[in-house]
Amino acid sequence: MRATRAIAAAAAFLAAATGLSACGLGGTEEETVADKDSLVIGVKEDQPALGVKRPDGTYEGFDVDVATYIAGRMGVPKDRITFRTTNSSVREEALADGTVDMIVATYSITPRRKMKVTFAGPYYVAHQDTFVRADAASINDVRDLKGKRICEVTGSNSWRRVIEERKVAAKPVTVGTYGACMDALAAGRLDAVSTDDLILAGFAAGRPGRMINAPFTDEKYGVGLKKGDLKGCEVVNRAITSMYQDGTAASLLNKWFGDSGLKLNTHVPQFEGCT
């Protein structure tokens, strides 16, 4: 009898422990950025007005300010945010392996990327345009890029918009970052840099050349999260909504791009939905 009771007690304890684990108390519940009290956020370091790394190691730009606001609405103050340079070529891997908790880095939402990443937002909808040297009088539209050398940043989608979607037979030249693209353009190794207008506006402020002002896509900037983090996505979406409703989005857009001549959208973008 005593042995039977001991076996029954052990079985009951095991069942209770299994039940707790199934509820998530045993560590099986999915991790989410919504529960974190500190965050590592991936940003760019070489995109003027969007994400720039200063000589002292700190970061500044529109994306950095947006990320700081979102984190604050999630209960994470600025002093518990670590910004980390995350180039286009490693964004998916950085989220998957936990190098960063989220990415706010001109990360356009695309069907291909949604297979690997859960996107909140978009937090802004930009439009692809093209930057050329001042003497490139023959380039005034995306169709004029036929036969021209355009920048293909590793991991970026912008060159595909020209060649695959618009069926323009441009010649992609692989370059590591958009900053390097602009250097290659100035040196004559490229004929054009085609990407989001906010990115181009940031670079154009300090470089010779011209924007052709012929936008041809919508680029929905999303907040990248680890695939499957639906709770985190919903929390971030609420933060983005608040950012537009309380006027912060308009203030940040004017702060960084008010002198660019771009038409800035200060209304809440239509969200993609958390998947």
Side-chain angles (χ1 to χ4, degrees):
M1 181 67 71
R2 187 175 299 165
T4 301
R5 288 175 181 164
I7 292 172
F13 177 82
L14 180 60
T18 302
L20 289 173
S21 179
C23 292
L25 298 179
T28 60
E29 186 177 283
E30 288 292 329
E31 186 179 25
T32 171
V33 295
D35 295 336
K36 291 181 174 287
D37 57 11
S38 63
L39 290 169
V40 179
I41 303 178
V43 294
K44 294 293 184 66
E45 68 169 28
D46 67 337
Q47 290 184 346
L50 285 158
V52 173
K53 190 174 184 179
R54 301 188 188 104
D56 64 0
T58 60
Y59 292 79
E60 68 176 7
F62 175 68
D63 282 349
V64 177
D65 286 349
V66 168
T68 302
Y69 179 92
I70 290 172
R73 296 291 298 190
M74 295 170 65
V76 179
K78 189 174 182 179
D79 62 0
R80 293 210 298 269
I81 301 172
T82 299
F83 288 107
R84 181 163 293 165
T85 299
T86 309
N87 292 329
S88 299
S89 59
V90 299
R91 288 183 294 205
E92 286 81 20
E93 292 83 356
L95 287 169
D97 65 20
T99 300
V100 297
D101 298 309
M102 66 171 64
I103 292 177
V104 186
T106 60
Y107 202 179
S108 295
I109 302 170
T110 68
R112 182 180 302 182
R113 289 170 179 164
K114 287 171 78 170
M115 296 175 66
K116 297 181 178 180
V117 174
T118 289
F119 282 102
Y123 62 90
Y124 191 75
V125 180
H127 307 284
Q128 185 161 335
D129 210 323
T130 304
F131 190 80
V132 298
R133 289 187 298 276
D135 60 359
S138 64
I139 303 177
N140 296 292
D141 187 86
V142 65
R143 292 183 294 272
D144 297 332
L145 296 177
K146 180 180 179 180
K148 303 297 185 182
R149 298 165 298 171
I150 66 170
C151 196
E152 176 190 339
V153 171
T154 306
S156 172
N157 203 53
S158 296
W159 66 275
R160 297 181 188 276
R161 304 285 198 199
V162 176
I163 296 174
E164 297 179 5
E165 295 183 13
R166 295 288 161 164
K167 308 299 182 185
V168 176
K171 299 176 181 178
V173 177
T174 303
V175 182
T177 66
Y178 280 110
C181 286
M182 300 300 281
D183 292 339
L185 177 68
R189 296 191 299 274
L190 290 173
D191 300 306
V193 179
S194 187
T195 190
D196 311 348
D197 52 9
L198 290 190
I199 295 175
L200 293 176
F203 282 116
R207 294 174 181 261
R210 66 180 177 90
M211 190 99 73
I212 67 173
N213 285 313
F216 58 94
T217 67
D218 289 339
E219 300 296 334
K220 301 174 182 179
Y221 288 169
V223 176
L225 303 171
K226 190 171 185 177
K227 184 65 176 176
D229 188 1
L230 304 187
K231 180 179 179 181
C233 177
E234 291 166 357
V235 170
V236 172
N237 279 347
R238 288 196 291 272
I240 294 170
T241 300
S242 297
M243 183 176 70
Y244 278 87
Q245 290 179 339
D246 67 16
T248 299
S251 176
L252 294 179
L253 285 164
N254 286 319
K255 171 185 174 181
W256 292 106
F257 304 104
D259 296 329
S260 69
L262 294 177
K263 184 178 180 181
L264 301 170
N265 183 10
T266 57
H267 300 289
V268 184
Q270 182 176 344
F271 291 161
E272 289 284 294
C274 298
T275 58

